[in-house]
Amino acid sequence: MRFRLQSMQGLLLNGLLVGLGLLVTWQKDMRNSENWYGRVYHDSDLIVLRVDEPMVEKAKSFKVNGFVEGIIHNNTFINCKGKILLYFSKEPAGDSTGSIAAQLQYGDKILVSKNPQRIKNSGNPGAFNYERYAAFQQVFHHLFLKEKDWVKLEGKNLNRFNQFIFTARDNVLSALQKNISNSKDELGIAQALLIGYTNDLDKDLVQAYSNTGVVHIIAISGMHLGLIYLLLAGLFEKIPILNRSRLLKAMLILGCLWLFSLLTGASASVLRSAVMFSFITVGTIFKKKSSIYNSLAASAFLMLCYNPYFLWDVGFQLSYLAVVSIIVFQKPVYNCWYIKNNLADKIWKLTSISLAAQILTFPVCIYYFHQFPNFFLLTNIIAVPLSSIILYAEIGLMTFSWVPAIGSFIGKAITWLVWLMNKIVLRVSEFPFSVWEGIPSTLLSTLLLYAMVIGFSVWLIKKNLSGLWGALICLSGFVMVHAYNSWQINNQQKLIVYNVPQHRAIDFISGNDFYFIGDSILLQDGLLHNLNLKPARIALQLRNNRDSLKSLFQNKSFFQFCDKRILLIDRSLDFEIPPQKAAIDIIIISKNPSLQIARLASVFHCRQYIFDASNSLWKIDKWQKDCEELHLRSYSVLEKGAFVLDAGE
């Protein structure tokens, strides 16, 4: 009877927690608010926006988050709210010498006369779901503004605390820029390591840090907050007046930790650490030591109550998995090897931490990033202590930057240390097989991988034979899933017209082989390739770029792929109307040719017209209207995302 009552109480508690989670999630979604701008906005309405943060300079634009303060509809001002992502063109209007958008600051208000566009995914296979990511940030629309599309309004709307944070952040960046080498590599890493400022980071250098398994050093995480906590606790311990008041010491530690968290942008991993260290610090006031698992669970509960969408944040997931993994596995891993030498023992202890952290994080890393750094142990042993020294040196620089001689000396030391760390990371990234890339992973295979890890861990640590049997069963399932996926991949025959704005990109796919037709810049520009083409090729396990495929016949712009007849038109053509129309399955129109759909329809009997992303939007709109009038099927890659045809069906 007591067991049944306890079970009912547990079910009731779980039900209440689930209900609370759903309620908080619904409430957090801006679209459910009666004051959300999307409920009242109509085309051609004017939007009053507040610049909600400092401007970020991009190659061709300035990017910033805007907050809607109201809508002007039929000369009536309607109070509403919501976020819109703003891009301001750098191109000057008229005779002006530069873009006036560069002069906008936090708190400025602007009046926009352009219709916001819904944020959409590219639709490319395997691509990052940016639409969902933005929605979790409560951003659903974006605007690309030229100077004719907006005007600056009088007055500002400032939040004093936010202004203080932005000003403090600018002062920190100014001190770093003044005292550290102007080299983009050294300065960029120093800024990222201290406050998470990544705008000046070199993309190739970031890729090297990722390939060697130490990208967590430049992505502000719990490690940074832990180092600062240790520094503060040790420093305040030596101040007699603070030792007399545990409350004052705790308040100073918490104030510094949370100020640092806000300066770094308050990412999910940093907030997790700040909340957990807050529990630990509060516990010291009352001389209580709680279980680390309770602190972790409480911090996760509070963060998810604040923002339930943190649950889908990769940083949040990896942060908790890494901490739990270290807590559970570090001691068993460390005890596997007894070392008498004190220095070697410390190196082994650091190694055991890195190994332990990987146990529960590597399945998620493979799922999201499809790669594994083979030399993560080597780089972590060197880079983690080195980055800790650099972080403490940067804190010292912030403390003494007002003294030019001391600030210059510390700045030169930081420059040299960052240069050394960069050289080591770049050198290791150049090792043969430094990174295992293109690892296929699905949600099911990731879950089976976790089940295997847990099963083998229970068997090895608890000496429980049932854990071994469970792990072997999951291993069998993992092998069968992998075999089935490999069979599907070996038999795939696909045509993909990618959504890469202003570029043509087409893949003919047969098994693991593919034949690419498109702009050469997509193969030369690493960023364009990694964002648009690489995810699909990893997801579909494409390994070989061939000059031809067995299932593909090509004659100039005509392709016979399996039983599909495909015509690629990328220039103006002059056809004579034949006595009988030629049958074509797909016509792909690319590169803005001057043509008429009606003229094509008189020559070809085509099942579907595809307009790729290299065409202008106004031309695509015109062609689609022509297709509708002629009752022809059409597909706009720019509007609907990548076109994928399974030619094997």
Side-chain angles (χ1 to χ4, degrees):
M1 183 68 181
R2 181 180 299 175
F3 175 76
R4 185 178 300 176
L5 182 61
Q6 289 176 343
S7 299
M8 290 179 63
Q9 289 175 339
L11 289 173
L12 180 61
L13 179 60
N14 290 335
L16 288 173
L17 289 175
V18 171
L20 176 62
L22 292 174
L23 178 63
V24 172
T25 303
W26 183 90
Q27 184 272 335
K28 191 68 178 180
D29 192 333
M30 180 69 75
R31 292 170 294 184
N32 295 320
S33 172
E34 293 183 358
N35 294 327
W36 183 55
Y37 69 88
R39 291 177 175 264
V40 298
Y41 179 81
H42 299 84
D43 287 351
S44 74
D45 284 353
L46 300 177
I47 309 175
V48 178
L49 285 156
R50 179 183 75 237
V51 177
D52 219 28
E53 61 184 1
M55 306 283 281
V56 176
E57 186 173 3
K58 300 292 184 180
K60 297 181 180 180
S61 64
F62 294 98
K63 175 186 174 184
V64 72
N65 276 324
F67 190 86
V68 177
E69 294 195 335
I71 301 291
I72 299 178
H73 177 70
N74 294 334
N75 295 323
T76 302
F77 184 84
I78 304 172
N79 282 307
C80 49
K81 61 182 181 179
K83 297 179 182 179
I84 296 181
L85 188 59
L86 304 177
Y87 294 92
F88 292 91
S89 174
K90 281 186 175 180
E91 296 179 5
D95 297 329
S96 39
T97 57
S99 173
I100 61 173
Q103 303 171 13
L104 288 175
Q105 297 178 340
Y106 166 66
D108 285 341
K109 294 193 292 185
I110 61 173
L111 184 67
V112 174
S113 59
K114 192 174 182 180
N115 296 332
Q117 302 297 312
R118 186 172 66 86
I119 293 176
K120 295 186 292 186
N121 290 323
S122 66
N124 296 326
F128 175 64
N129 192 338
Y130 182 71
E131 182 179 354
R132 189 183 73 168
Y133 170 80
F136 287 166
Q137 314 301 316
Q138 303 306 303
V139 181
F140 307 98
H141 296 88
H142 64 93
L143 276 166
F144 186 84
L145 301 172
K146 296 184 178 180
E147 291 189 5
K148 63 182 178 63
D149 299 323
W150 62 278
V151 294
K152 184 179 176 181
L153 300 176
E154 294 294 329
K156 287 178 175 284
N157 188 352
L158 295 172
N159 179 294
R160 296 298 177 186
F161 182 75
N162 288 344
Q163 180 65 43
F164 165 74
I165 293 296
F166 294 142
T167 301
R169 190 177 176 88
D170 287 341
N171 290 336
V172 170
L173 292 175
S174 177
L176 292 175
Q177 292 163 2
K178 180 181 177 181
N179 294 286
I180 293 179
S181 167
N182 290 328
S183 170
K184 189 176 181 180
D185 290 348
E186 282 79 49
L187 180 60
I189 292 295
Q191 292 174 158
L193 200 151
L194 182 61
I195 59 170
Y197 185 81
T198 58
N199 294 341
D200 294 334
L201 280 176
D202 180 75
K203 303 300 181 184
D204 294 332
L205 184 60
V206 173
Q207 190 63 50
Y209 272 79
S210 178
N211 291 346
T212 52
V214 288
V215 74
H216 60 88
I217 287 173
I218 55 176
I220 295 293
S221 62
M223 183 190 79
H224 299 74
L225 215 64
L227 290 171
I228 291 175
Y229 177 83
L230 292 174
L231 175 65
L232 292 172
L235 182 64
F236 292 161
E237 191 72 28
K238 300 183 183 300
I239 302 176
I241 190 172
L242 294 180
N243 283 329
R244 298 171 190 166
S245 174
R246 292 195 303 270
L247 178 60
L248 178 59
K249 184 164 70 173
M251 290 176 62
L252 287 173
I253 290 176
L254 289 177
C256 293
L257 287 178
W258 280 100
L259 178 61
F260 175 78
S261 301
L262 295 172
L263 280 173
T264 60
S267 65
S269 56
V270 172
L271 287 179
R272 185 271 307 164
S273 298
V275 173
M276 193 177 72
F277 281 121
S278 296
F279 279 109
I280 294 172
T281 305
V282 171
T284 59
I285 299 175
F286 302 100
K287 294 186 177 181
K288 300 286 185 180
K289 286 189 178 180
S290 63
S291 166
I292 187 66
Y293 297 105
N294 289 341
S295 296
L296 279 172
S299 66
F301 179 76
L302 286 179
M303 287 184 65
L304 292 176
C305 285
Y306 167 70
N307 185 355
Y309 295 111
F310 276 153
L311 189 61
W312 288 270
D313 184 275
V314 180
F316 180 89
Q317 295 172 12
L318 288 175
S319 177
Y320 276 93
L321 286 170
V323 173
V324 172
S325 193
I326 290 171
I327 294 170
V328 174
F329 296 110
Q330 190 273 331
K331 190 174 180 179
V333 171
Y334 174 71
N335 289 337
C336 289
W337 189 11
Y338 174 71
I339 301 176
K340 292 183 178 180
N341 183 273
N342 191 38
L343 177 60
D345 182 65
K346 288 181 178 179
I347 294 174
W348 170 236
K349 182 175 288 187
L350 180 61
T351 304
S352 69
I353 293 173
S354 296
L355 283 170
Q358 286 289 340
I359 293 174
L360 291 184
T361 56
F362 85 89
V364 167
C365 289
I366 291 173
Y367 177 72
Y368 285 115
F369 309 116
H370 303 285
Q371 66 177 36
F372 185 80
N374 295 323
F375 295 110
F376 74 92
L377 273 180
L378 174 62
T379 46
N380 272 277
I381 289 172
I382 299 172
V384 169
L386 195 54
S387 67
S388 302
I389 296 170
I390 294 170
L391 178 62
Y392 285 143
E394 289 185 288
I395 293 172
L397 175 61
M398 294 302 104
T399 306
F400 298 103
S401 61
W402 57 277
V403 182
I406 299 178
S408 177
F409 174 77
I410 299 177
K412 289 178 181 178
I414 292 171
T415 300
W416 184 82
L417 289 170
V418 174
W419 174 85
L420 178 62
M421 185 169 69
N422 287 346
K423 286 296 181 183
I424 293 171
V425 169
L426 287 169
R427 185 70 187 92
V428 173
S429 70
E430 293 170 355
F431 287 177
F433 311 107
S434 64
V435 59
W436 182 7
E437 292 186 294
I439 306 174
S441 180
T442 64
L443 180 60
L444 178 58
S445 66
T446 302
L447 293 175
L448 288 171
L449 198 54
Y450 267 116
M452 278 191 289
V453 169
I454 294 171
F456 281 123
S457 300
V458 170
W459 172 54
L460 292 171
I461 297 174
K462 299 293 184 180
K463 309 301 181 184
N464 190 324
L465 196 60
S466 60
L468 174 61
W469 285 111
L472 292 175
I473 292 171
C474 292
L475 176 60
S476 302
F478 182 84
V479 171
M480 287 189 288
V481 168
H482 181 72
Y484 176 72
N485 290 337
S486 297
W487 176 81
Q488 283 188 315
I489 293 298
N490 290 333
N491 290 281
Q492 67 182 347
Q493 303 285 338
K494 294 182 183 294
L495 165 70
I496 302 178
V497 183
Y498 292 96
N499 183 6
V500 187
Q502 302 179 8
H503 296 287
R504 177 171 69 198
I506 302 171
D507 269 346
F508 290 94
I509 298 168
S510 178
N512 297 114
D513 301 331
F514 66 97
Y515 174 65
F516 176 71
I517 301 173
D519 298 336
S520 59
I521 191 173
L522 294 174
L523 305 178
Q524 299 164 3
D525 189 314
L527 184 61
L528 277 175
H529 178 267
N530 291 342
L531 285 177
N532 299 287
L533 305 183
K534 187 176 179 180
R537 292 171 180 174
I538 291 175
L540 299 173
Q541 298 182 41
L542 306 181
R543 299 189 181 94
N544 309 307
N545 187 1
R546 303 295 190 185
D547 294 329
S548 63
L549 300 175
K550 290 182 179 180
S551 54
L552 177 66
F553 167 78
Q554 179 182 2
N555 183 9
K556 296 182 179 179
S557 295
F558 173 79
F559 302 86
Q560 176 83 34
F561 185 48
C562 297
D563 62 344
K564 300 294 189 294
R565 286 161 292 188
I566 301 163
L567 182 64
L568 174 63
I569 300 178
D570 57 4
R571 64 185 185 276
S572 301
L573 300 174
D574 186 18
F575 295 104
E576 291 185 5
I577 300 177
Q580 185 176 358
K581 294 182 181 180
I584 293 289
D585 292 291
I586 293 174
I587 292 179
I588 302 174
I589 299 178
S590 178
K591 296 294 183 180
N592 285 308
S594 179
L595 54 79
Q596 295 180 344
I597 298 297
R599 183 71 175 172
L600 287 178
S602 66
V603 178
F604 300 104
H605 178 69
C606 178
R607 294 185 178 181
Q608 190 168 21
Y609 290 84
I610 309 297
F611 311 119
D612 79 0
S614 67
N615 298 297
S616 301
L617 190 58
W618 69 271
K619 274 197 172 184
I620 293 177
D621 290 340
K622 181 180 180 299
W623 290 333
Q624 284 195 304
K625 289 177 182 177
D626 293 341
C627 288
E628 289 176 6
E629 292 177 0
L630 297 169
H631 305 288
L632 301 172
R633 291 175 60 195
S634 66
Y635 187 96
S636 170
V637 172
L638 268 178
E639 295 180 2
K640 297 181 180 179
F643 175 79
V644 182
L645 171 71
D646 194 335
E649 294 182 352

